Amino acid sequence: MSRLPDVLTTSSPEEDLKAFTTNVLGTLNVAKAFLPYLRATSGHRTIANFGSVTSWYSGAGHGIYSGTKWAVSGVTEGLRAELAPLGIFITVIEPGWYRTAILAKDVQAQSEKRIDVYEDGEIGELRKALEETNGKQIGDTAKACRVIVDVLTMSGCAEGKEIPIRLVLGKDAHQVIREKCEGTLKLLKEWEGA
């Protein structure tokens, strides 16, 4: 289930729970279901969770979705620390905008309640922009899939490297994350000693 766009101040508790249950608890439960089999085998063992570039930023109209993806990233980090001693790798794949069905109207689970002030402003503009972007996203999905397979099978990892905690895909995602990191470092420096 996708939750883009959504409005934090108008989504119902049931809608919020559904998004977190699907995106976060669903991810965690699938990983837990596979762990007994992975522990019982040897060799290359990897779990890949799907995050998003939106796990690095949030904004009007996608706060719930971004929150679920931040949570997936945090859960993946915790699992990574727990599974490393067992030789099991885990990564979170964080793609930018790829040509998938995420923006299709029949895929999106938008908040049912609408408020005119939002619809006439930034959130209405976001809905319109996403509708116009559907099917025209910049990322090549087939290429991304090849990269994911190469990295997860370690054929895409250089000698001596291991599967990364995050696999960031797409120039747009790299730019967003770089800007977030630079902004965070600037904020830390500004408030250092506070």
Side-chain angles (χ1 to χ4, degrees), residues 5-6 13 28 33 38 59 69 100 108 123-124 140 146 180 184 192:
D6 56 24
L28 180 59
L38 293 175
K69 295 305 181 176
T100 66
Q108 291 185 29
I123 291 169
D140 179 342
R146 287 190 300 274
K180 175 73 174 213
T184 301
E192 192 171 8

Side-chain angles (χ1 to χ4, degrees), residues 1-7 11 14-16 18-19 22-23 61 64-65 101-112 114 127:
M1 167 175 100
S2 168
R3 276 293 294 225
L4 188 72
D6 56 24
V7 182
S11 60
E14 294 80 16
E15 290 171 325
D16 298 341
K18 201 181 253 187
T22 301
N23 293 349
I64 295 294
Y65 182 79
I102 192 171
L103 300 180
K105 279 189 175 187
D106 59 336
V107 172
Q108 291 185 29
Q110 298 181 14
S111 51
E112 190 174 310
R114 304 285 176 103
R127 290 184 203 278

